[in-house]
Amino acid sequence: MGDRKPYPSDVTDAQWALLGPFLEAWRAKRVSVAGRTGDHDLREIVNAILYQTRTGCQWAYLPHDLPQKSATYYYFALWRDDGTDQVIHDLLRCQTRERAGRREDPTAVAVDTQSVRAANHVPAATTGKDAGKKVPGRKRGLAVDALGLIIAVVVTAASVTDNAIGIRLLDKVAEHTPTVTVAWVDAGFKQDVGVHGAVLGIDVEVVKRSDTRPGFVPVKKRWIVEQVYGTLMLHRRLAREYESRPESAVSRTLWASIAGMVRRLTGTNTPTWRNV
């Protein structure tokens, strides 16, 4: 970090102690033909990614005292494509669950989707319109555990049905977290999701909301995924769909989740922008 004034989104020394060893080991394995492993400060690269995720700024508007756009995007795209962001996320999730007295892998998940408006530059080929919510853009599908930790994420055009997204999420959950045996969903997920879950050994349980009480009423078992969506909206890069590629939107969601987990593990917090 050098002598620059830190941003609220910067990782602390304690948080970097969780991320640093893995990324340094990753770098040590990537030796060029000339025997070089790269000169950029990986902690500052992470700081730049988290700054953009939190503030929502464009690549060209990254502050001058953070790594330049070309370097930051290079690592963001590289970690997205080689799965480094997913591996870091999953390792931190296991640590967070153990810290909470849970087993490393969950046995139940809550599944839901969120439609997000897309910015003008997002390719039309990867967007659509949610027929129910009348939202043009993309859909973000999440499967989260009882602690609100992300188990799987899928990003599609908003025109894709919840049913199709639910099936993709269950496939991801079964592949990467085979301990899951129960998935809680809302009434928007149709019978196909239940049938597909049965094939995978996952019991899909529809948890309906109550129509007898006015206003917002937390739904037992399924409320946690709604809370996760609300927390993600604190990251302005996720409040609207800015990523040209759905894969980048998935990675951006993982980085927002990583930022939350390192705060949990170190007992720190990031000031909200609601009062700014």
Side-chain angles (χ1 to χ4, degrees), residues 164-257:
I165 294 175
I167 289 173
R168 289 178 58 181
L169 283 170
L170 290 182
D171 283 337
K172 281 195 167 189
V173 169
E175 180 182 358
H176 300 291
T177 317
T179 54
V180 171
T181 57
V182 178
W184 297 306
V185 302
D186 64 20
F189 294 87
K190 307 303 180 185
Q191 186 177 5
D192 288 351
V193 176
V195 172
H196 192 72
V199 172
L200 298 173
I202 299 175
D203 180 24
V204 178
E205 179 183 338
V206 178
V207 183
K208 298 182 179 180
R209 69 181 182 86
S210 172
D211 292 324
T212 61
R213 297 173 60 186
F216 172 74
V217 180
V219 180
K220 184 180 180 181
K221 298 180 180 178
R222 201 169 51 78
W223 68 271
I224 189 66
V225 68
E226 302 286 354
Q227 183 187 60
V228 173
Y229 278 123
T231 302
L232 290 178
M233 290 300 98
L234 295 175
H235 297 81
R236 287 186 173 180
R237 189 78 181 188
L238 297 177
R240 184 175 285 252
E241 187 55 75
Y242 293 109
E243 309 302 334
S244 296
R245 297 175 53 183
E247 298 87 350
S248 293
V250 170
S251 181
R252 191 69 69 175
T253 304
L254 293 176
W255 280 110
S257 181

Side-chain angles (χ1 to χ4, degrees), residues 70-83:
S70 58
T72 303
Y73 181 76
Y74 171 80
Y75 281 99
F76 173 80
L78 185 59
W79 292 336
R80 173 199 67 200
D81 295 341
D82 70 5

Side-chain angles (χ1 to χ4, degrees), residues 52-120:
Q52 189 184 40
T53 301
R54 188 74 183 191
T55 65
C57 74
Q58 295 168 298
W59 284 104
Y61 285 81
L62 282 171
H64 294 299
D65 52 1
L66 287 174
Q68 59 186 347
K69 165 191 171 181
S70 58
T72 303
Y73 181 76
Y74 171 80
Y75 281 99
F76 173 80
L78 185 59
W79 292 336
R80 173 199 67 200
D81 295 341
D82 70 5
T84 295
D85 52 4
Q86 183 75 62
V87 173
I88 293 174
H89 178 274
D90 292 349
L91 288 173
L92 290 174
R93 187 187 68 225
C94 290
Q95 292 181 46
T96 304
R97 286 183 57 83
E98 288 184 329
R99 179 70 62 87
R102 305 293 185 101
R103 294 181 179 178
E104 283 190 3
D105 294 316
T107 57
V109 294
V111 176
D112 204 356
T113 65
Q114 177 190 50
S115 294
V116 184
R117 290 183 178 272
N120 292 336

Side-chain angles (χ1 to χ4, degrees), residues 236 272-276:
R236 287 186 173 180
T272 177
W273 49 259
R274 290 186 182 277
N275 297 322
V276 176

